[in-house]
């Protein structure tokens, strides 16, 4: 496809999500071509592109348009690269990894609603996930609109959480799958950080509730009470009408706004099918609260 510079934006859900067509994002894009894509992202939070066969180099070129790629930490099989690999295939051999292997158990934390890199001092802007090999059934990725979740909170609860700060760490979400799964090195790399309970979009001002599986308790509150508040907020956010589920096809690319949505993986039969998704994560430019 030649890039003519005009894209088509088709809404996927009444609240968020849009499919972008009419552009080949596997080719280098000019600033003029990228501008409308970036604007659609600020507005719709989840952008779906179809029939965009990516390899790693093309994905990095597309990712560089959004900002600086994060580098993965030692917890990921592709540590020290720009790629978080979501797959049941061994990175060296390409063969399926047994279900009871730590690498598979580790990925199960993706079943919890989360925002990528909320455990970093400066949380991420967005993630870009590309479908390289898809199972014929299962393995959808789901998104939860946290602007709608914020808007639906009673005003008194919004006022209560406005000044609060939550503590986030990768270890908290991983411990929910299997205690002690992170190496000492991974733990040392990722001490807990603080995040506000909302993020405001700098372009349009839309406020989104900012929680997710890495959030553990509220700073300066007794731990059980803070956890209970986080559970309540998650419960209030998890409304079916705020959710969108994406059934992947090979060649799909999704860019999601980690400031405005939570996402989660869903089950597929990893003993029967292959799945290979490559994620790049674009670093944000601001902390939500001084550390
Ligand atoms: C991710 C993630 C979900 C999935 O890549 O950050 O959570 O469906 N992936 O693989
Ligand atoms: Mn994720």
């Amino acid at each position: 496809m030649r890039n003519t510079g005009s894209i088509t934006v088709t809404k996927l859900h009444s609240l968020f999500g849009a499919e972008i067509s009419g552009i080949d994002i596997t080719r280098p894009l000019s600033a003029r071509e990228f501008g409308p894509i970036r604007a659609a992202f600020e507005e719709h939070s989840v952008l779906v592109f179809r029939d965009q066969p990516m390899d790693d180099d093309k994905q990095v070129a597309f990712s560089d348009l959004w900002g600086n790629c994060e580098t993965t930490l030692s917890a990921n099989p592709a540590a020290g690269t720009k790629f978080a690999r979501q797959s049941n295939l061994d990175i060296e051999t390409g063969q399926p990894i047994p279900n009871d292997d730590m690498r598979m158990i580790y990925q199960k934390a993706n079943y919890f609603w989360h925002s990528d890199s909320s455990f970093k001092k400066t949380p991420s802007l967005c993630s870009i996930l590309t479908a390289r090999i898809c199972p014929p059934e299962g393995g959808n990725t789901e998104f939860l609109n946290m602007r709608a979740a914020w808007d639906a909170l009673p005003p008194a609860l919004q006022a209560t959480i406005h000044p609060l700060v939550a503590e986030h760490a990768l270890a908290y979400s991983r411990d929910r799958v299997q205690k002690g799964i992170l190496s000492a090195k991974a733990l040392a790399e990722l001490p807990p950080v603080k995040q506000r309970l909302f993020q405001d979009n700098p372009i349009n001002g839309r406020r989104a509730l900012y929680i997710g599986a890495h959030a553990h308790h509220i700073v300066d509150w007794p731990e059980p009470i803070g956890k209970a508040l986080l559970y309540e907020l998650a419960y209030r956010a998890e409304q079916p009408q705020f959710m969108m589920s994406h059934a992947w096809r090979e060649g799909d690319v999704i860019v999601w706004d980690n400031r405005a949505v939570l996402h989660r993986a869903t089950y597929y039969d990893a003993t029967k099918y292959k799945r290979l998704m490559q994620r790049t994560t674009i670093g944000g430019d601001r902390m939500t609260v001084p550390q």
Side-chain angles (χ1 to χ4, degrees), residues 84 86 110 114 116 127 129 139-141 248 256 263-266 275 277 279:
Q86 314 293 358
N110 281 342
H114 64 283
D116 292 330
S127 295
L129 191 61
N140 282 20
T141 305
W248 290 94
W256 67 80
H263 65 281
R264 68 178 175 192
T266 63
R275 188 176 193 259
M277 318 284 289
R279 191 187 90 212

Side-chain angles (χ1 to χ4, degrees), residues 38-214:
R38 180 66 195 241
F41 163 82
E42 302 289 356
E43 176 70 19
H44 300 289
S45 307
V46 178
L47 301 185
V48 176
F49 301 83
R50 303 209 101 147
D51 305 313
Q52 307 282 347
M54 286 284 182
D55 59 24
D56 288 355
D57 289 342
K58 288 175 175 163
Q59 185 167 344
V60 167
F62 179 65
S63 302
D64 285 343
L65 296 164
W66 297 82
N68 295 321
C69 283
E70 293 184 353
T71 307
T72 47
L73 295 144
S74 52
N76 195 279
T81 72
K82 292 177 175 173
F83 292 98
R85 185 181 163 93
Q86 314 293 358
S87 185
N88 62 334
L89 305 177
D90 185 282
I91 194 168
E92 303 283 339
T93 66
Q95 292 307 303
I97 304 169
N99 247 341
D100 58 358
D101 187 291
M102 275 308 183
R103 287 168 292 176
M104 292 308 288
I105 295 168
Y106 181 85
Q107 288 180 57
K108 298 228 154 62
N110 281 342
Y111 288 159
F112 301 123
W113 290 113
H114 64 283
S115 174
D116 292 330
S117 297
S118 76
F119 49 80
K120 294 187 178 170
K121 281 185 190 159
T122 300
S124 70
L125 170 71
C126 64
S127 295
I128 301 172
L129 191 61
T130 68
R132 310 294 180 88
I133 303 173
C134 296
E137 55 180 344
N140 282 20
T141 305
E142 301 190 326
F143 299 94
L144 190 58
N145 184 324
M146 300 307 279
R147 292 177 181 168
W150 175 271
D151 291 344
L153 294 177
L157 186 51
Q158 290 178 344
T160 301
I161 68 175
H162 192 270
L164 299 180
V165 172
E167 195 171 286
H168 291 230
L170 180 65
Y172 296 143
S173 58
R174 263 45 192 182
D175 275 358
R176 289 168 67 177
V177 177
Q178 180 154 325
K179 259 208 160 347
I181 195 167
L182 290 184
S183 66
K185 183 165 177 240
L187 287 172
E189 275 172 356
L190 291 168
V193 304
K194 295 175 189 166
Q195 304 292 2
R196 273 203 202 293
L197 288 161
F198 61 86
Q199 290 210 61
D200 291 337
N201 181 291
I203 308 296
N204 57 34
R206 293 293 310 277
R207 180 164 288 179
L209 181 62
Y210 191 55
I211 53 174
H214 308 306

